[in-house]
């Protein structure tokens, strides 16, 4: 997967920029905890902030859960979708 610029490591998530992009690599999280961790991260975002999600597969069931939970409150945009995995931007509205 290509290198994607994210919030610098060690920089606190202080919500000082509404257009900030925060990385979330689901590949390193145990499968049984993934959805809860993802929803927790999304709940921590403020309007305009982006969570750049990286995963080894297309998370269709997760996306259905997100639509049911957030409705129009989260914009979903694929940045990469291929055999190597997916990169999706989730933007809080």
């Amino acid at each position: 997967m290509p290198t994607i610029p994210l919030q610098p490591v060690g920089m606190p998530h202080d919500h000082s920029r509404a257009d900030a992009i925060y990385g979330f690599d689901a590949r390193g999280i145990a499968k049984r905890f993934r959805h809860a961790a993802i929803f927790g991260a999304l709940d921590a975002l403020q309007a305009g902030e982006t969570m750049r999600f990286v995963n080894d597969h297309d998370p269709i069931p997760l996306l259905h859960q997100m639509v049911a939970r957030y409705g129009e409150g989260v914009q979903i945009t694929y940045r990469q979708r291929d055999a190597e995995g997916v990169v999706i931007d989730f933007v809080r509205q």
Side-chain angles (χ1 to χ4, degrees):
M1 288 194 179
T3 302
I4 299 171
L6 304 172
Q7 184 79 5
V9 175
M11 187 170 188
H13 188 145
D14 64 4
H15 303 286
S16 62
R17 294 185 49 206
D19 63 345
I21 298 175
Y22 300 96
F24 188 101
D25 190 339
R27 298 171 296 182
I29 298 173
K31 289 182 181 183
R32 63 187 251 185
F33 300 123
R34 281 187 190 171
H35 288 203
I38 293 163
F39 289 131
L42 285 170
D43 289 343
L45 294 178
Q46 294 185 7
E49 292 183 324
T50 301
M51 181 175 82
R52 183 154 293 160
F53 174 83
V54 178
N55 202 11
D56 56 4
H57 66 277
D58 200 353
I60 301 299
L62 170 68
L63 298 180
H64 289 296
Q65 289 177 356
M66 288 179 65
V67 169
R69 181 174 176 152
Y70 297 105
E72 301 281 326
V74 174
Q75 177 186 346
I76 301 168
T77 305
Y78 280 88
R79 298 187 58 83
Q80 176 183 332
R81 189 179 197 183
D82 57 31
E84 293 181 22
V86 297
V87 177
I88 305 171
D89 279 354
F90 298 125
V91 182
R92 284 301 299 257
Q93 303 298 303

